[in-house]
Amino acid sequence: MAKKNDVLVITHKEESLPEEEIINGIKIIRKYDGNASEYVKCLRDNIGSNDILVNVCVQTPTTDLLLPILDTIKCKKKILYVHGIWHFGFVNRDKESIHNFCSKIYNNCKWYMYYALNAKYFKKYDVITQLHEKDDGNVFFKKHFGINSEIMENAADEAFFSIEDDTVFRKKYDLPTEYLVCVANYSPLKNQEMVLKAYYKANIDTEMVFVGADSNGYVEYLKRMEDYIRTDTEYVENKKVRFIVDVPREEIAKFVRNAKLFLFGSVGEKYPVSIVEAMAAGVPFISTDVGIVKYFPGGIIVNSIEEMAHNISRLVNDKELHDALSKDGAEYARKRMRIGDKVDAFEEICFGSNK
């Protein structure tokens, strides 16, 4: 949007970053540090009657502080851009211990009260956007508040849609003709451990490649886990695992689009961009049942290590099924997950007629 419009971002203050800077033509002001009055004053000083106010996400100070004073902010339009809300349903980890169960009950009550108390403010926005028609936020806002939201799905960078000669890239990382890939920050929340265990249970000899932002304690844990698994798993012959870190952003798309399968073991998501990127590249995914991923074509949802292992073997060895999922995911992404289309849709929300 910044290519055609002036865009200003007012966000949290970070000690390691300047209070103001311009990045790719976008002015960034890092103002909020716990001082509500200074943050509100900064916003008032920088917004005019012809501007569009976009609050990104709920349950965050940069939005919540403005809710009670929305009527006093004079601008052309006010938009609440929601990236998912608290998930009130119970998942397996909520039932693993009394602590988890009680914590879930407490947080459900806390966040239900938050939404109930702020519903009157949410209704003051000219437009509210949600990630997907089946997303928790869209369903909750419609059911409890009678709010009909606009749907703004996530999108993939054009590099994931590209078909290029990646010979040099393959040589750089010594990649085989076929490999499986998992792209995510190394973290227990992303649950690469599940993917690792499923890979070793799968009856295949395709290489497994993990790609993450940087090395940390969890990477070392995964390496120790692999050493243990290799001594206690039936299918270890010809198995190879690599943990890659510090990959330039422009090379992430190449790792994905050259892969045979995309594996995703996360324990909590709303609308994971990594799955969108795999679909854009025509790479079938195998994912845990998180967020709205189960509504996407182009992949298989699993609920256990055993199910993931079974479907890894299935998709590696069944070309017809693999290619059908690849086609379905790519077609969906081309029609609904391109950044240019999302920019056009959001500009229509911003500059079209007031709702």
Side-chain angles (χ1 to χ4, degrees):
M1 290 191 69
K3 293 180 179 178
K4 295 186 286 184
N5 308 281
D6 292 330
V7 177
L8 167 65
V9 175
I10 303 176
T11 187
H12 299 266
K13 184 175 288 187
E14 297 285 346
E15 291 186 3
S16 61
L17 297 172
E19 184 170 320
E20 294 189 19
E21 66 177 322
I22 295 176
I23 301 176
N24 295 328
I26 300 172
K27 184 176 181 180
I28 312 293
I29 299 179
R30 299 182 178 90
K31 193 66 178 178
Y32 182 69
D33 61 356
N35 188 319
S37 60
E38 284 193 10
Y39 166 69
V40 171
K41 182 179 184 302
C42 177
L43 182 133
R44 291 188 185 281
D45 290 344
N46 283 280
I47 195 166
S49 59
N50 290 320
D51 293 330
I52 308 289
L53 170 68
V54 182
N55 286 135
V56 180
C57 295
V58 290
Q59 299 174 226
T60 177
T62 50
T63 293
D64 294 350
L65 289 172
L66 303 183
L67 294 178
I69 62 169
L70 280 175
D71 286 339
T72 70
I73 299 174
K74 305 303 179 183
C75 58
K76 185 176 181 179
K77 185 176 286 188
K78 298 161 190 172
I79 299 171
L80 178 60
Y81 199 111
V82 182
H83 279 261
I85 68 168
W86 174 257
H87 179 68
F88 290 96
F90 281 77
V91 296
N92 289 337
R93 70 177 181 276
D94 297 324
K95 306 169 187 176
E96 289 176 352
S97 68
I98 293 177
H99 175 271
N100 287 6
F101 183 81
C102 292
S103 178
K104 179 65 175 178
I105 294 292
Y106 169 78
N107 282 300
N108 274 6
C109 293
K110 178 179 71 173
W111 292 119
Y112 184 87
M113 289 298 297
Y114 165 87
Y115 287 108
L117 291 172
N118 286 302
K120 60 182 179 291
Y121 301 128
F122 298 148
K123 292 179 179 180
K124 293 183 179 182
Y125 285 96
D126 298 291
V127 181
I128 294 178
T129 72
Q130 306 279 358
L131 290 170
H132 191 272
E133 62 181 354
K134 299 292 187 180
D135 177 70
D136 289 339
N138 190 51
V139 174
F140 189 89
F141 274 49
K142 182 178 293 186
K143 177 181 178 180
H144 294 278
F145 310 141
I147 294 175
N148 292 312
S149 305
E150 298 284 346
I151 302 300
M152 284 290 300
E153 294 185 85
N154 279 338
D157 189 275
E158 283 300 311
F160 290 89
F161 292 94
S162 299
I163 300 176
E164 300 178 7
D165 182 357
D166 290 332
T167 303
V168 174
F169 165 77
R170 283 181 171 276
K171 288 182 177 179
K172 176 181 177 179
Y173 289 97
D174 191 27
L175 293 171
T177 302
E178 289 190 353
Y179 62 91
L180 316 181
V181 73
C182 175
V183 179
N185 291 329
Y186 291 111
S187 163
L189 293 177
K190 297 301 182 181
N191 200 16
Q192 284 94 341
E193 180 180 352
M194 176 184 185
V195 175
L196 180 64
K197 290 179 177 178
Y199 168 71
Y200 270 105
K201 284 181 176 290
N203 187 11
I204 60 170
D205 58 8
T206 311
E207 184 172 327
M208 180 72 227
V209 178
F210 290 92
V211 180
D214 51 29
S215 185
N216 56 30
Y218 189 68
V219 178
E220 299 307 312
Y221 168 78
L222 291 172
K223 291 177 180 178
R224 293 193 300 271
M225 178 61 66
E226 188 199 2
D227 290 339
Y228 171 78
I229 291 172
R230 290 188 68 88
T231 68
D232 191 43
T233 303
E234 179 180 359
Y235 302 116
V236 296
E237 189 176 356
N238 297 323
K239 291 283 180 73
K240 182 179 180 181
V241 174
R242 276 196 281 172
F243 300 98
I244 300 177
V245 299
D246 298 327
V247 176
R249 175 60 189 168
E250 61 271 16
E251 291 189 341
I252 296 296
K254 297 178 182 180
F255 271 107
V256 174
R257 68 187 185 216
N258 283 282
K260 178 77 171 179
L261 297 176
F262 186 93
L263 307 181
F264 196 64
S266 182
V267 298
E269 301 284 339
K270 294 300 181 182
Y271 196 123
V273 174
S274 56
I275 296 293
V276 174
E277 293 169 344
M279 292 168 64
V283 177
F285 64 85
I286 300 175
S287 172
T288 45
D289 187 7
V290 288
I292 46 80
V293 177
K294 62 186 174 185
Y295 300 110
F296 292 155
I300 296 174
I301 300 299
V302 298
N303 293 291
S304 67
I305 293 170
E306 290 70 24
E307 286 184 19
M308 181 174 281
H310 168 74
N311 283 289
I312 291 172
S313 302
R314 185 181 171 202
L315 289 184
V316 167
N317 295 303
D318 188 338
K319 186 178 186 304
E320 184 176 348
L321 176 59
H322 174 280
D323 291 351
L325 290 174
S326 171
K327 179 182 177 182
D328 290 346
E331 286 183 352
Y332 186 97
R334 282 195 295 269
K335 291 177 181 177
R336 302 179 59 165
M337 295 173 166
R338 302 194 92 117
I339 289 178
D341 294 337
K342 298 304 173 188
V343 171
D344 291 343
F346 192 60
E347 285 188 337
E348 177 61 27
I349 289 173
C350 288
F351 306 116
S353 59
N354 284 315
K355 301 281 180 180

